[in-house]
Amino acid sequence: MIRTRLIATAASAPDQVITNDDLSKIVDTSDEWITQRTGIRERHISSGENTSVLVTDVASQLLHRASVSPENIDLIIVASVTPDYGTPSLACMVQKEIGAANAVAFDIVAACSGFMFALSIADKYIKSGVYKNAIVIGGETLSKIIDWKDRSTCVLFGDGAGGAYVERSEEAGIICEDIGSCGEQYDILTEGYVPCSNVFNEVPSGIHPEWYVHMDGREVFKFATKNVIKSMQKVMAEEGLTEADIKYIVPHQANVRIVEVISRKLNIPYGKFYMNMEQYGNTSSASIPIALNELNEKGLIARGDKIIMSGFGGGMTWGTMLIVW
Ligand code: ACO
């Protein structure tokens, strides 16, 4: 059977690290509040690098690690809610920077589920025989869309990018997935609203552009626990797996309390969930591939291991994937 296999992983983050204590000098918060409510201690924040810089760094590392030349890349997909431009896409900028002249390149938007959605698309192109390989990246500079005066959101997020080089394989790879959307709840997590203002139309008073992230934290918490649990149960049932069959679960790195609930309700040991939000915060579409890369770089996974990646995000969306490493 043809599968899509993850051959190499990579990650990139700005050098600048901002701690919870640093944030307590900007807004009325404390290391204790942030650590207890979220599990986050520090995050990488851009000193000027835009998202294209981070995703290009990831793509260059992937080429090197997979020993693939850029002209042999068929497909580049970048997931992001913080691109440099409306157009060009980040993927086209990556294409230019790495010299992948023969690739098809485009971006997708599925917020924190973005990497799962992008990987799902790459998987379909590869399984159908259209393309042989792809670079799939999630990358964000969320620091540019955060209201740094709003303590309820500014403590949660960080900047970074992560990705994978994937290839057609007959041995291992993506086994099954469950991705989904619930547009009904789109307004519990929003960012980047642009009203339709033009010379022929006066925008009613009270309606204005809103660049910053707005979130109903409690509703997102409920959405995440409900849908990630259902999605993981579905994927494990489809393959008849129990937790004993799974080496690691790489969850979206939003909040340790969300992971604690998922672990408890699914009766999966907490230690099987790989987490690094303590150092990165929530990097949206980059969070799962950054964590996966860390797991890989630390040598904690071996070929043949079964891994579940599962995320949730704005839209609202969710995505779970079972892979054989
Ligand atoms: N420092 C100190 N106090 C704070 C802070 C802060 N940074 N932020 C909020 N508070 C205060 C509030 O003002 C409130 O005070 P009050 O009781 O006097 O009104 C109190 O703390 C409790 O606020 P809540 O919002 O109810 O806190 P909660 O326990 O729900 O935690 C949080 C908030 C962490 C956002 C939580 O709701 C959560 O984790 N939600 C899940 C959403 C999530 O993880 N989103 C990440 C991004 S979205 C995504 O990745 C898809």
Side-chain angles (χ1 to χ4, degrees):
M1 183 187 279
I2 297 170
R3 295 201 192 281
T4 304
R5 190 172 199 179
L6 282 76
I7 304 294
T9 62
S12 180
D15 290 337
Q16 176 171 247
V17 173
I18 301 294
T19 65
N20 291 346
D21 285 336
D22 293 331
L23 288 180
S24 70
K25 292 174 193 134
I26 302 173
V27 287
D28 182 13
T29 190
S30 64
D31 176 47
E32 191 191 358
W33 193 97
I34 303 169
T35 309
Q36 281 181 2
R37 302 275 177 139
T38 71
I40 299 164
R41 289 185 187 277
E42 57 190 34
R43 69 286 291 143
H44 294 255
I45 297 291
S46 171
S47 313
E49 309 93 322
N50 215 333
T51 310
S52 61
V53 174
L54 302 176
V55 296
T56 298
D57 183 28
V58 170
S60 304
Q61 290 182 55
L62 290 173
L63 289 179
H64 179 71
R65 291 179 176 192
S67 303
V68 187
S69 40
E71 59 274 16
N72 288 332
I73 297 295
D74 292 342
L75 175 66
I76 302 170
I77 310 178
V78 178
S80 182
V81 293
T82 50
D84 296 20
Y85 296 94
T87 189
S89 65
L90 287 163
C92 282
M93 295 172 83
V94 167
Q95 176 184 28
K96 176 190 172 191
E97 294 303 324
I98 65 171
N102 300 312
V104 170
F106 59 88
D107 288 1
I108 65 119
V109 174
C112 309
S113 313
F115 182 72
M116 306 313 299
F117 277 56
L119 201 51
S120 170
I121 296 167
D123 179 47
K124 306 305 165 293
Y125 273 120
I126 289 172
K127 275 193 185 138
S128 65
V130 175
Y131 299 124
K132 288 189 304 301
N133 64 38
I135 283 177
V136 182
I137 299 173
E140 311 283 1
T141 42
L142 294 165
S143 59
K144 68 186 181 186
I145 56 152
I146 286 166
D147 180 353
W148 289 99
K149 294 192 192 75
D150 175 9
R151 67 176 181 173
S152 70
T153 52
C154 77
V155 302
L156 303 175
F157 299 99
D159 298 335
Y165 166 77
V166 300
E167 212 173 68
R168 180 192 156 98
S169 162
E170 290 184 9
E171 295 159 26
I174 297 169
I175 306 297
C176 67
E177 67 174 30
D178 172 54
I179 61 170
S181 312
C182 177
E184 181 75 23
Q185 284 184 277
Y186 80 85
D187 57 352
I188 65 172
L189 178 55
T190 60
E191 167 275 295
Y193 176 67
V194 185
C196 186
S197 153
N198 62 46
V199 72
F200 305 107
N201 172 49
E202 199 175 318
V203 175
S205 66
I207 297 183
H208 48 82
E210 188 48 87
W211 197 236
Y212 296 136
V213 173
H214 288 280
M215 175 180 76
D216 181 335
R218 292 197 173 180
E219 285 304 312
V220 174
F221 199 105
K222 279 194 255 168
F223 175 90
T225 46
K226 181 176 144 207
N227 289 290
V228 170
I229 287 169
K230 269 200 328 209
S231 187
M232 281 182 54
Q233 279 171 331
K234 196 170 163 190
V235 162
M236 288 171 74
E238 200 173 314
E239 290 300 311
L241 300 177
T242 69
E243 63 86 10
D245 300 309
I246 308 296
K247 185 75 187 278
Y248 276 107
I249 294 142
V250 183
H252 171 44
Q253 309 286 313
N255 187 318
V256 288
R257 283 163 48 211
I258 291 175
V259 178
E260 281 163 10
V261 173
I262 295 167
S263 156
R264 202 171 55 243
K265 294 240 168 108
L266 287 178
N267 208 11
I268 298 178
Y270 188 63
K272 282 207 174 179
F273 291 82
Y274 187 79
M275 285 181 283
N276 63 4
M277 66 193 84
E278 197 175 333
Q279 292 89 38
Y280 286 91
N282 178 352
T283 56
S284 192
S285 66
S287 95
I288 289 176
I290 289 176
L292 181 70
N293 178 61
E294 201 171 284
L295 204 54
N296 189 18
E297 282 186 347
K298 284 184 175 169
L300 293 171
I301 43 180
R303 290 294 175 194
D305 284 346
K306 293 191 180 71
I307 298 163
I308 287 178
M309 300 183 277
S310 188
F312 62 92
M316 298 296 286
T317 55
W318 69 88
T320 302
M321 210 171 250
L322 168 71
I323 59 172
V324 172
W325 186 246

